[in-house]
Amino acid sequence: MRRAEMQKLFITEYQVDPKTGKDKAVSRYIGTWYTMDKKLRRTCALLCLAGWVLAVAAFITAGVLPTWAGLCNYVVPWYILCMLPLFYLLLGSVKLLRLKKQFTEIDKSESLGYLKTSGIGLAVLGAVWSITTVVFLLTSNKTMMLANELIFLGCAVVNAAVGAAAWGMGKKTGEKVRENE
């Protein structure tokens, strides 16, 4: 959430501090409050955490395998960039798991927003990683062991699939959030 959007959700009031007797600025939230079914929230968060564990396991496996594709200068950047959405997928899942019964627009943005955007990012980066690996395998005659190269490709596909699933879970769960009145 951008700073300008966040500032619209708060109003600043001035109150006298009883200890010092001076005016003190106090911000009060005036935005919309939301609720979500606890079971749905837990299910989404735990499924995203399970997907995160699977994606990190695939990421580490791809990094440990001895492959030529893992050393190629047009494959490696996409592999390395997958770390960023993986971090935000974990952050969004944990924030979703820790949401209170009623939560603010900021909490919604930080939990479900992180799931959706990191899911899209991971899906795109995993897909580009997969495509560049396939291009490498088709254009290069360097293969240490074809099995390792295919496992490396499979790890890229797993990351793309987990990203797509996290985006779908975040979008589906976001549609079931209710506004409080």
Side-chain angles (χ1 to χ4, degrees), residues 45-111:
L46 292 175
L47 285 175
C48 286
L49 283 172
W52 178 82
V53 168
L54 180 65
V56 167
F59 184 83
I60 291 171
T61 301
V64 171
L65 280 176
T67 62
W68 284 111
L71 300 173
C72 180
N73 62 356
Y74 58 87
V75 175
V76 172
W78 306 110
Y79 164 72
I80 291 173
L81 284 175
C82 283
M83 282 192 297
L84 293 173
L86 282 173
F87 171 73
Y88 281 104
L89 180 63
L90 174 65
L91 194 62
S93 299
V94 170
K95 285 187 181 245
L96 183 63
L97 199 57
R98 297 186 64 189
L99 276 181
K100 294 184 169 108
K101 186 175 182 178
Q102 288 188 338
F103 52 95
T104 64
E105 181 76 33
I106 298 167
D107 295 330
K108 179 183 171 190
S109 173
E110 287 181 350
S111 58

Side-chain angles (χ1 to χ4, degrees), residues 34-45 96-97 99-103 173 176-178:
Y34 297 94
T35 59
M36 186 187 331
D37 183 36
K38 185 176 181 179
K39 185 177 180 183
L40 175 68
R41 187 178 72 229
R42 280 183 65 88
T43 303
C44 177
L96 183 63
L97 199 57
L99 276 181
K100 294 184 169 108
K101 186 175 182 178
Q102 288 188 338
F103 52 95
T173 305
K176 297 188 179 182
V177 172
R178 296 180 305 274

Side-chain angles (χ1 to χ4, degrees), residues 101-152:
K101 186 175 182 178
Q102 288 188 338
F103 52 95
T104 64
E105 181 76 33
I106 298 167
D107 295 330
K108 179 183 171 190
S109 173
E110 287 181 350
S111 58
L112 295 171
Y114 281 7
L115 290 183
K116 289 190 272 187
T117 55
S118 65
I120 289 172
L122 187 59
V124 169
L125 289 172
V128 174
W129 174 18
S130 301
I131 291 168
T132 56
T133 303
V134 168
V135 167
F136 174 81
L137 290 174
L138 293 176
T139 59
S140 176
N141 60 0
K142 292 182 177 181
T143 55
M144 285 187 188
M145 291 176 42
L146 187 58
N148 285 358
E149 304 288 344
L150 292 177
I151 291 171
F152 185 79

Side-chain angles (χ1 to χ4, degrees), residues 23-34:
D23 283 345
K24 176 173 88 169
V26 178
S27 294
R28 186 171 50 94
Y29 181 74
I30 58 169
T32 309
W33 288 87
Y34 297 94

